[in-house]
Amino acid sequence: MVLFRRSLGDILRSRRTELGLTLREVSGAARVSLGYISEIERGQKEASSELLSSLCDALEMPLSDVLREVADAVALEEAALVGATPITPRRTGEVVPSAA
C-alpha cells in the first residue's frame, strides 16, 4: 500500500508542478486543507475517492489517467523487485484496442 500511496503522490505532485500551481492554489480549488494535500503528495496519507476526484478536477487531469499512471508505476516497481520483464506503460490518453 505504501508503494501505491507514494506513486500516487509523485504523480499528483508532478502534475501540479507541470501546471505551475502551488499547494495553496490546489488546496483552494479542491477545497482540501493544504497540509492534507502535502501529506498525500508525500505518500503519508491515503486519499478517499472523493478527495482524489477533487484533486484531479483541480489539476485538470482525468481520474482514469491518474490511476493508469499509478498502475504503470506500481507494475514497474513490482517488476524491478522480482526481476520480471515490466509491462510497457501506456501514454496518457492512449487507447487500448479491444480484442474483438
Side-chain angles (χ1 to χ4, degrees), residues 2-3 10 13 18 21 33-35 37 41 46 51 58-59 61 63-64 70 73-74 86 92-93 96-97 100:
V2 172
L3 173 60
D10 290 346
R13 184 182 324 100
E18 283 174 14
L21 298 173
S33 79
L34 186 131
I37 293 174
E41 283 191 359
E46 289 186 32
L51 173 60
L59 296 171
M61 186 176 197
L63 176 59
S64 59
V70 170
V74 170
T92 301
V96 178

Side-chain angles (χ1 to χ4, degrees), residues 23-80:
L23 280 171
R24 187 169 308 282
E25 290 168 325
V26 173
S27 171
R31 294 191 170 128
V32 178
S33 79
L34 186 131
Y36 199 72
I37 293 174
S38 176
E39 289 180 329
I40 290 169
E41 283 191 359
R42 288 181 281 140
Q44 295 178 342
K45 294 283 185 181
E46 289 186 32
S48 68
S49 57
E50 294 85 1
L51 173 60
L52 190 52
S53 178
S54 292
L55 288 173
C56 288
D57 288 345
L59 296 171
E60 300 172 353
M61 186 176 197
L63 176 59
S64 59
D65 286 353
V66 172
L67 295 176
R68 186 176 301 112
E69 288 187 38
V70 170
D72 289 345
V74 170
L76 290 171
E77 187 77 21
E78 288 175 333

